[in-house]
């Protein structure tokens, strides 16, 4: 990967001092102007209203990795063994369907809504067991398995025209690009697109901007990198914590980049060195994000 120090670099600042064990899944709810993200291991759904600066969280009874805004209102929670409708006004949860409910080894991980209003979502072993994870698509309420044998599925995101999907198995260090048909289903085999196997940090969550570039969190490297159409690093956001997990564009014009982080696996010494690890960070890059449609279940 390109490592030219002259590329554009921004510094991320603390947005919400929430100190999640495993902050993940930032998702902008454009209708309600709220950013949601998850503290997976502590079974919490966090939220921020950027306009007012208010923030808070809901305590749940199971691990959740994404809250996807639904067409018609409310959220769909991607959980460790189920998908559930969630009403943030009264915190009511209603089960929608099972999700690997017969497999106690796994939990949900990365997920994102595609250009067709369908949801790609993944599973992984709770202890990152090798090959325990899978990749799925929830299309009009029906769950279809797309790929198995993954260890830590991440970086799920989509090109503006819906022609490509990206994802990674973090353990491999390689981001893959998959050609999609006109209905958003994969065609053929995914191809290697960006290789981080020989660099510091492991590819984690990702999001696409309005110029078609991919912003990728590098777990363990204290940065989010911006990749061009050829998978080359052209810019970066530096963080004061080492484990960024996923970026997302938010705000009324999608010009603010928020980044979830984690303190999972930290020793007492590491936590002393990075006391705000696991908190939500923000960077103003001046680059606009790509709006995502709400999730359609029918």
């Amino acid at each position: 990967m390109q490592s030219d120090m002259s590329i554009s670099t921004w510094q991320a600042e603390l947005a919400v001092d929430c100190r999640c064990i495993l902050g993940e899944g930032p998702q902008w709810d454009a209708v309600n102007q709220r950013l949601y993200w998850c503290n997976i291991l502590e079974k919490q759904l966090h939220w921020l209203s950027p306009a007012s600066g208010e923030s808070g969280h809901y305590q749940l009874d199971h691990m959740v990795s994404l809250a996807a805004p639904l067409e018609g209102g409310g959220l769909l929670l991607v959980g460790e063994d189920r998908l559930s409708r969630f009403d943030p006004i009264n915190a009511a949860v209603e089960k929608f369907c099972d999700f690997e409910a017969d497999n106690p080894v796994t939990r949900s991980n990365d997920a994102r809504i595609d250009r067709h209003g369908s949801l790609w979502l993944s599973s992984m072993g709770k202890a990152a067991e090798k090959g325990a994870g899978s990749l799925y698509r929830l299309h009009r309420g029906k769950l279809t398995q797309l790929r198995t044998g993954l260890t830590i599925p991440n970086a799920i995101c989509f090109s503006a025209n819906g022609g490509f999907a990206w994802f990674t198995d973090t353990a491999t260090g390689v981001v893959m690009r998959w050609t999609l048909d006109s209905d958003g289903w994969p065609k053929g085999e995914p191809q290697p697109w960006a290789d981080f196997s020989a660099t510091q940090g492991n590819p984690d969550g990702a999001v696409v901007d309005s110029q078609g570039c991919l912003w990728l969190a590098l777990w363990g490297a204290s940065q989010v990198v911006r990749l061009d159409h050829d998978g080359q690093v052209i810019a970066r956001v530096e963080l004061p914590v080492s484990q960024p997990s996923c970026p997302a564009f938010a705000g009324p014009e999608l010009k603010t980049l928020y980044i979830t982080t984690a303190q999972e696996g930290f020793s007492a010494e590491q936590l002393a060195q990075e006391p705000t690890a696991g908190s939500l960070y923000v960077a103003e890059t001046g680059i606009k994000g790509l709006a995502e449609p709400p999730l359609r279940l029918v």
Side-chain angles (χ1 to χ4, degrees):
M1 287 293 97
Q2 180 179 331
S3 57
D4 183 357
M5 298 307 293
S6 66
I7 66 175
S8 299
T9 303
W10 299 275
Q11 302 296 322
E13 299 180 352
L14 186 65
V16 179
D17 189 3
C18 51
R19 308 191 187 193
C20 300
I21 300 297
L22 180 55
E24 262 288 8
Q27 175 70 54
W28 178 241
D29 179 353
V31 172
N32 296 294
Q33 295 287 293
R34 260 190 176 190
L35 180 74
Y36 290 99
W37 69 101
C38 302
N39 183 358
I40 296 177
L41 299 182
E42 294 185 300
K43 304 176 181 179
Q44 295 172 343
L45 176 64
H46 286 256
W47 60 271
L48 168 68
S49 296
S52 66
E54 291 182 290
S55 63
H57 74 269
Y58 303 95
Q59 187 64 51
L60 305 170
D61 66 355
H62 64 293
M63 290 188 284
V64 168
S65 58
L66 185 83
L70 285 165
E71 186 177 65
L75 304 167
L76 187 79
L77 302 182
V78 178
E80 62 179 299
D81 60 0
R82 76 203 83 158
L83 307 181
S84 305
R85 291 177 179 269
F86 181 73
D87 181 353
I89 295 176
N90 56 25
V93 181
E94 178 187 356
K95 181 178 173 181
F96 176 72
C97 71
D98 288 336
F99 179 63
E100 295 197 1
D102 59 348
N103 188 350
V105 171
T106 60
R107 63 164 173 83
S108 64
N109 198 47
D110 197 43
R112 190 172 293 282
I113 302 169
D114 69 16
R115 309 311 302 162
H116 297 266
S118 300
L119 182 72
W120 287 44
L121 62 161
S122 66
S123 64
M124 64 172 283
K126 292 174 182 174
E129 289 87 348
K130 184 176 180 179
S134 297
L135 183 62
Y136 297 82
R137 189 186 190 208
L138 180 69
H139 180 68
R140 307 301 180 257
K142 181 182 178 182
L143 195 61
T144 300
Q145 190 177 68
L146 303 177
R147 203 162 188 84
T148 60
L150 303 172
T151 300
I152 309 177
N154 268 310
I156 299 170
C157 53
F158 307 92
S159 61
N161 65 3
F164 295 100
W166 287 270
F167 75 95
T168 188
D169 186 343
T170 294
T172 68
V174 179
V175 179
M176 310 295 287
R177 190 174 74 168
W178 214 348
T179 301
L180 306 179
D181 67 18
S182 59
D183 293 317
W185 294 102
K187 295 194 300 182
E189 285 295 301
Q191 300 299 314
W193 182 74
D195 190 344
F196 290 87
S197 60
T199 63
Q200 182 186 6
N202 299 307
D204 205 308
V207 68
V208 175
D209 66 27
S210 59
Q211 299 172 27
C213 295
L214 189 146
W215 297 72
L216 176 71
L218 291 180
W219 178 279
S222 303
Q223 59 183 298
V224 172
V225 291
R226 187 185 189 216
L227 308 179
D228 66 12
H229 299 123
D230 298 317
Q232 296 298 311
V233 176
I234 56 173
R236 65 168 54 91
V237 176
E238 296 179 342
L239 295 93
V241 293
S242 59
Q243 293 183 166
S245 55
C246 192
F249 289 95
E253 297 182 343
L254 295 177
K255 286 186 176 180
T256 302
L257 188 72
Y258 287 95
I259 304 163
T260 52
T261 69
Q263 54 177 260
E264 183 184 16
F266 272 19
S267 64
E269 182 181 8
Q270 285 175 296
L271 199 54
Q273 293 172 348
E274 301 179 27
T276 59
S279 296
L280 183 72
Y281 280 82
V282 63
E284 300 289 351
T285 67
I287 297 169
K288 187 176 180 179
L290 183 65
E292 296 177 0
L295 174 58
R296 293 179 58 188
L297 294 181
V298 294

